Amino acid sequence: MYAMASTELSDTPHRAGRRRGITFAATEVSRVLRELSEGSKSTPEQRWLRAVASRVTNARPDLSEELLKVLGVQPADSDPLRGLTIGEIGVCYEALLAEMGPAERRSSGQFFTPDDAAEFMASRSRDFGDGVWLDPCCGVGNLAWHLANFQSDPADFISRSLVLIDIDDVALRSAIALIAGDFAAPGDVGAVQLLSERAQRRDFLSAKPLPEHDFAILNPPYARAEPKMKFRTAACRDLFAYFIERLADTSRGYIAVTPASYLCAPKFQPLRSEIERHEKGGEIYVFDNVPDTLFRGYKFGSSNTSKTNFVRAAVTVCAPNADSWFITPIIRWKTAVRTTMFDQCSRLLAPLRHGRDGEWAKLSPGQAKIWDSLTDERVTLADLVVKGPTTHSLDVATTPRYFISAAFRELDRTTKVTLYFATAAYRDRAAVVLNSSVPYLWWRALDGGVTLPKRVLMSIPVPEVPNGARLVSALRRSEEENIVVKLNAGKHNENVKHPQSLVDLINDALIPEAEGLDVLYSNNMFPLG
Ligand SMILES: C[S@@+](CC[C@H](N)C(=O)[O-])C[C@H]1O[C@@H](n2cnc3c(N)ncnc32)[C@H](O)[C@@H]1O
């Protein structure tokens, strides 16, 4: 890995792919933008290309003529991108686009993959075998750069086996120059030419045939799109679904980072079907957005907040010979263990289970058995509730983060649902289940977003519990002592947080065979230190 084409190259400060995007400060982005705008009347695009030209020609005088042909400009006097990693350059380009027009940037969904996430994705290619790789929306080349860096012979890889595509001409030219500049062998102008000749500025979704490829690595645009009727995923109405569908049709395998919502949201069922129709197996890594998040959201200027840090991301890896599916729970980790998280998250992979409506359930290792018994249960909450109001009710807070519970008393809060039951017996049966770990496990597996959707709440299985009356008394007693109040935007929000010992007692009665529940609640699934 990280083979050097020559000793000269190893000394260049430009090839600093090892520095983590996470340490990149917003002040650095401002510095680059300031330097980019200094003393030049040309367009932002021209200034950007000239900055890329400075960086690559300073680093690679042996290739400068060919690299300048790719970029179509002369180098700037200064070298603002000097020493930055490819991920950091991506952040600066994103910031430049944001400055040029926030609305346009949002609509084209240009959010760039941080170095460590790109490195993680590239490392998943180890079982793919030889073949030509396509990056169909390469931006300034973050993913392709790390993929090249992962090869035993990056110089050979970029000459023969890498095809770059982007609709944005400036980004595409930058990607070709930055990747060739970092990986071409000394004096190998042919490598620059080959990479450049294969690259295409185009709409990846247009009908035009795609260049030949075996595999793809991609971070597609995430943007609501009009249904494109030529796609079987038209009903998903999102560009990333169309990208994946096309690659599922044309490639032998791919590695994609997308919003995790595709795993469970009903509107993405056509995409899930499409993936399962083409691939026999794969691995899906799901990343939460708290406490840390996969994408680093940078705030560019005062009116322009990047939305990337709100995205729960999924990395989907479909290797050509995979024959069964594995998925992680929604991975939570603290920033301090981010490197460990990437190194160890594959140990959280577990065989994929489906929800009743075809969702891909995000479970922890060891939870398959309990999942199977829960999905076999015929009675759901929807079967027990009535329209109401009745005198038998339960209040459930609908913005869970670390737990879900149900209260017999009325909760003073805005985000809640009141469930009504025809009889006290049905209410008590529901109360026991809703105060166990079942609803939280069910919600994390089938949603895990910001709110508890009615669809997910109502589908919770409600098995009958032996000795339920004893547990109901314990719950009622605990409720008196364990009301918690959070202040949110000046408003009190009540909830009930039962002690874990009581939740465990209910779990022992309801789901005695359950494993991995500690992982379920953890906000850091990796050891600190
Ligand atoms: C989310 S960025 C990803 C960039 C880079 N691959 C990364 O991981 O950081 C998405 C890229 O898709 C490009 N793009 C958007 N729509 C496209 C389309 N229809 N065809 C090709 N590229 C497109 C944008 O120009 C942008 O560079």
Side-chain angles (χ1 to χ4, degrees), residues 205-518:
L205 302 176
S206 74
K208 197 169 118 190
L210 294 178
E212 276 186 25
H213 62 281
D214 297 286
F215 311 124
I217 188 162
L218 70 157
N219 171 3
Y222 317 153
R224 222 182 126 68
E226 283 311 307
K228 282 196 196 268
M229 296 328 287
K230 67 178 174 179
F231 290 107
R232 289 179 291 276
T233 55
C236 299
R237 290 172 174 254
D238 202 301
L239 284 181
F240 82 81
Y242 308 154
F243 269 71
I244 302 276
E245 176 181 330
R246 188 140 204 221
L247 287 168
D249 274 342
T250 60
S251 73
R252 295 198 289 123
Y254 50 88
I255 302 172
V257 60
T258 64
S261 52
Y262 98 80
L263 301 167
C264 290
K267 79 165 191 166
F268 285 112
Q269 183 57 45
L271 177 59
R272 294 191 290 274
S273 305
E274 203 50 33
I275 295 174
E276 285 192 313
R277 194 167 70 80
H278 282 281
E279 323 296 338
K280 288 199 199 66
E283 292 177 352
I284 302 151
Y285 299 83
V286 192
F287 302 92
D288 212 337
N289 62 354
V290 282
D292 194 16
T293 170
L294 190 76
F295 289 110
R296 315 299 308 182
Y298 287 88
K299 193 166 182 281
F300 304 119
S302 55
S303 62
N304 203 309
T305 307
S306 169
K307 298 252 186 321
T308 41
N309 47 347
F310 300 122
V311 173
R312 283 177 191 78
V315 169
T316 304
V317 182
C318 294
N321 298 320
D323 56 9
S324 42
W325 287 98
F326 294 88
I327 191 167
T328 66
I330 310 177
I331 300 170
R332 276 186 178 148
W333 72 98
K334 291 200 166 152
T335 308
V337 297
R338 191 171 165 95
T339 310
T340 311
M341 185 279 288
F342 283 120
D343 290 344
Q344 295 186 4
C345 61
S346 58
R347 74 178 163 77
L348 292 174
L349 287 167
L352 176 66
R353 288 292 198 270
H354 289 88
R356 289 190 185 120
D357 295 317
E359 304 96 330
W360 294 358
K362 296 156 292 198
L363 296 169
S364 301
Q367 290 178 346
K369 211 163 126 202
I370 176 69
W371 182 259
D372 293 344
S373 77
L374 286 172
T375 47
D376 281 350
E377 169 61 46
R378 281 182 305 110
V379 179
T380 66
L381 193 59
D383 297 317
L384 298 189
V385 294
V386 293
K387 203 148 181 254
T390 67
T391 48
H392 313 293
S393 68
L394 293 171
D395 268 13
V396 178
T398 50
T399 45
R401 179 151 277 186
Y402 293 112
F403 69 97
I404 293 174
S405 63
F408 292 89
R409 60 181 262 168
E410 200 179 317
L411 291 175
D412 180 15
R413 60 179 295 133
T414 40
T415 49
K416 68 168 186 177
V417 59
T418 301
L419 305 170
Y420 295 105
F421 301 85
T423 67
Y426 281 161
R427 178 205 53 202
D428 290 353
R429 176 171 171 173
V432 171
V433 173
L434 290 176
N435 285 297
S436 73
S437 292
V438 168
Y440 195 68
L441 182 142
W442 195 254
W443 172 69
R444 293 292 284 176
L446 297 183
D447 190 85
V450 178
T451 59
L452 172 59
K454 195 160 176 223
R455 159 182 63 82
V456 175
L457 177 64
M458 288 302 156
S459 70
I460 291 172
V462 191
E464 200 141 22
V465 192
N467 283 327
R470 181 176 57 93
L471 296 170
V472 168
S473 307
L475 281 169
R476 282 188 175 278
R477 276 196 308 277
S478 167
E479 188 171 307
E480 296 306 311
E481 293 159 17
N482 292 301
I483 293 287
V484 286
V485 183
K486 266 200 173 162
L487 201 61
N488 196 352
K491 242 198 114 344
H492 285 101
N493 273 299
E494 274 186 355
N495 205 351
V496 182
K497 180 150 180 36
H498 295 295
Q500 192 57 42
S501 54
L502 177 55
V503 178
D504 290 344
L505 196 70
I506 304 174
N507 289 343
D508 286 345
L510 187 70
I511 43 172
E513 71 276 33
E515 289 174 36
L517 293 182
D518 45 340

Side-chain angles (χ1 to χ4, degrees), residues 90 93 97 108-114 118 135-144 165-168 171 202-206 217-222 239 243 257 295:
Y93 188 63
L97 293 175
S108 61
Q110 309 218 36
F111 299 117
F112 295 83
T113 320
D135 183 340
C137 42
C138 65
V140 299
N142 305 27
L143 292 174
I165 288 181
D166 204 285
I167 204 166
D168 173 348
R202 58 167 283 171
D203 179 351
F204 176 71
L205 302 176
S206 74
I217 188 162
L218 70 157
N219 171 3
Y222 317 153
L239 284 181
F243 269 71
V257 60
F295 289 110

